[in-house]
Amino acid sequence: MSGMTAKGEKRLMLFTGRAHPELATAVARELEVDIVPTSAYDFANGEIFVRFEESVRGSDAFVMQSHTAPLNQWIMEQLIMVDALKRASAKRITVVMPFYGYARQDKKHRGREPISARLMADLFKTAGADRLIVVDLHTAQIQGFFDGPVDHLFALPVLAQHVGARLDRSRLTVVSPDAGRVRVAERWTDTLNAPLAIIHKRRDPRVANQVKVHEVVGSVEGRVCVLVDDMIDTGGTITKAADALFENGAAEVIVVATHGVFSDPAVDRLKNSRITEVVVTDTLPIAQERRFDKLTVLPIAPLIARAIREVFHDGSVTSLFGGDA
């Protein structure tokens, strides 16, 4: 018989960039593995250098990085890490992006605009990524931008468990802040067994972060409204949506989002609003000075770790969400 047969076991290796090492440490703890020692630093002109301190040949490599500010730096660092793994002969490279940078630029609103979310997928594919793991994309269609498997994780079970445990479900109404989030809001209604309301809004495509709220579709009078979104950036959309709910008689508003971006002036807007509680996960690092009394931050590491374990063992990520992923 010609050729040679090698007997061996798969080897999971976890890597992290410098954007959110606390999350990677929590994921490593859940997986009961160590993060691979990595040297990473910036040259004087801003160029990034990365070198792994252990052999990665033949490994099943998982590269974590949350795309937080300064966003472009951390995206570039993750791309360089993927390239280093490819050139060091890692067998499979899975990019773990708890927050997918540029996800809001998923289509052209007008002529001569980029589709930057597609560009992101192309960059990681070219760098050498075989697979992506992401949490609550801005729109599900982004999964189709990457030429390979994409495991789209939902933070809903983590968030809904918190909300359902502390509130009277008979008084709840789930609210979508716009038409684009209705499908996600419907999953919330199924989970909490609550009615749905929708806020109709219009966004000026020429002005960033400017939203005009028009009207609330659905009954919210006297109800505890759970306002669900994928991210909170400057807080303009959420606070205006909450104001519209109170104007329509809502008794209380709870805001729930997966990604707490919290660009200025989000913290001031949320602190000074009538919102009772803001619930997010730790997909992005939230500095101590950006935390406030109304804020609750839930851990996402157990969910990411379970997905990594399923991918590594060739299991089913869909099974983590009852077949809905």
Side-chain angles (χ1 to χ4, degrees):
M1 184 178 69
S2 61
M4 182 183 297
T5 301
K7 293 182 179 180
E9 296 181 351
K10 291 198 299 181
R11 181 169 53 128
L12 185 155
M13 300 187 79
L14 181 65
F15 306 82
T16 182
R18 294 172 290 169
H20 195 359
E22 298 83 4
L23 178 58
T25 300
V27 170
R29 190 181 306 119
E30 293 285 335
L31 291 171
E32 298 181 332
V33 301
D34 295 324
I35 297 172
V36 176
T38 304
S39 295
Y41 55 83
D42 301 332
F43 288 108
N45 67 346
E47 292 181 7
I48 298 169
F49 174 83
V50 171
R51 183 179 186 273
F52 306 118
E53 302 297 335
E54 295 180 5
S55 172
V56 303
R57 186 179 300 275
S59 67
D60 204 343
F62 293 82
V63 192
M64 285 193 64
Q65 184 85 298
S66 288
H67 300 166
T68 184
L71 183 118
N72 295 328
Q73 177 180 358
W74 302 134
I75 290 173
M76 192 66 198
E77 182 177 83
Q78 193 174 24
L79 286 166
I80 290 172
M81 293 175 74
V82 172
D83 182 75
L85 286 166
K86 178 179 70 173
R87 297 178 189 281
S89 300
K91 186 172 184 179
R92 180 172 65 170
I93 303 170
T94 300
V95 169
V96 184
M97 290 185 283
F99 179 74
Y100 187 110
Y102 290 93
R104 283 175 287 185
Q105 298 182 40
D106 61 322
K107 57 183 173 294
K108 292 173 66 173
H109 294 278
R110 296 179 299 163
R112 302 181 299 280
E113 290 183 350
I115 304 180
S116 305
R118 170 60 192 264
L119 174 62
M120 282 279 297
D122 289 344
L123 287 170
F124 278 100
K125 187 64 178 180
T126 301
D130 298 298
R131 189 183 197 106
L132 303 184
I133 296 177
V134 295
V135 182
D136 279 336
L137 289 167
H138 187 62
T139 53
Q141 71 198 44
I142 295 173
Q143 296 173 81
F145 293 170
F146 183 75
D147 187 14
V150 178
D151 295 302
H152 188 197
L153 311 184
F154 304 137
L156 187 153
V158 178
L159 297 166
Q161 183 180 27
H162 172 82
V163 172
R166 64 173 299 273
L167 297 173
D168 180 1
R169 297 195 183 196
S170 66
R171 298 184 59 215
L172 295 182
T173 293
V174 176
V175 182
S176 172
D178 55 47
R181 306 305 297 171
V182 170
R183 183 68 190 95
V184 174
E186 286 176 342
R187 292 197 188 104
W188 275 83
T189 63
D190 293 339
T191 301
L192 297 177
N193 193 26
L196 174 67
I198 303 168
I199 295 178
H200 175 63
K201 72 176 185 181
R202 183 184 298 273
R203 184 187 295 274
D204 188 343
R206 297 167 297 180
V207 184
N209 300 312
Q210 292 294 316
V211 174
K212 181 180 179 183
V213 175
H214 284 272
E215 61 182 3
V216 177
V217 180
S219 177
V220 299
E221 187 172 356
R223 307 284 292 176
V224 176
C225 295
V226 181
L227 191 56
V228 298
D229 210 345
D230 64 315
M231 71 174 76
I232 303 174
D233 190 357
T234 62
T237 298
I238 287 294
T239 52
K240 288 183 179 179
D243 290 341
L245 292 171
F246 283 120
E247 289 170 6
N248 282 265
E252 189 178 351
V253 175
I254 308 292
V255 170
V256 181
T258 303
H259 311 295
V261 181
F262 295 153
S263 304
D264 289 332
V267 172
D268 288 336
R269 282 175 170 168
L270 294 167
K271 282 197 301 187
N272 297 324
S273 71
R274 296 171 62 188
I275 294 168
T276 302
E277 184 181 15
V278 178
V279 185
V280 298
T281 72
D282 59 352
T283 55
L284 291 167
I286 302 173
Q288 198 59 44
E289 60 270 18
R290 292 192 175 274
R291 300 194 177 221
F292 48 96
D293 291 341
K294 296 179 182 180
L295 180 65
T296 300
V297 182
L298 303 177
I300 200 69
L303 176 62
I304 294 175
R306 288 170 63 197
I308 289 175
R309 189 176 285 109
E310 291 294 336
V311 170
F312 177 65
H313 291 297
D314 297 322
S316 172
V317 174
T318 301
S319 67
L320 302 181
F321 307 99
D324 292 332

